[in-house]
Amino acid sequence: AVTQTLRAAKFLVKAPLILALLFVINLLTSPGHWWIQWPALGLGIAWVISLFRVMRAVVLAGGLAAVAAVLARRR
């Protein structure tokens, strides 16, 4: 689970870079035909899924930290 979350966090950075590279390639090879929209759609869907995976891990970690803080105060 931790490995998947780390991969998802890396993908949040990598995907926009990949998309920027594809945009430049599209601009240089076929400026009149925008095929970049299809990879952008796929990367966008994958990016949102990765974002939710990372957000879920952050919320879970925050919740566990809050529970630990409450338990530490009671002692």
Side-chain angles (χ1 to χ4, degrees):
V2 174
T3 310
Q4 287 180 340
T5 304
L6 288 175
R7 265 194 223 143
K10 287 180 190 176
F11 184 73
L12 291 178
V13 175
K14 282 184 189 178
L17 297 175
I18 293 169
L19 201 53
L21 178 66
L22 289 176
F23 177 76
V24 170
I25 292 171
N26 190 171
L27 206 64
L28 294 174
T29 58
S30 53
H33 179 67
W34 294 105
W35 52 261
I36 187 74
Q37 63 192 351
W38 303 114
L41 177 66
L43 282 171
I45 291 168
W47 193 87
V48 168
I49 292 169
S50 294
L51 179 66
F52 283 139
R53 180 172 285 151
V54 170
M55 286 175 49
R56 182 181 63 195
V58 167
V59 168
L60 179 64
L64 290 175
V67 168
V70 167
L71 291 176
R73 274 193 202 154
R74 289 188 179 188
R75 288 185 181 182

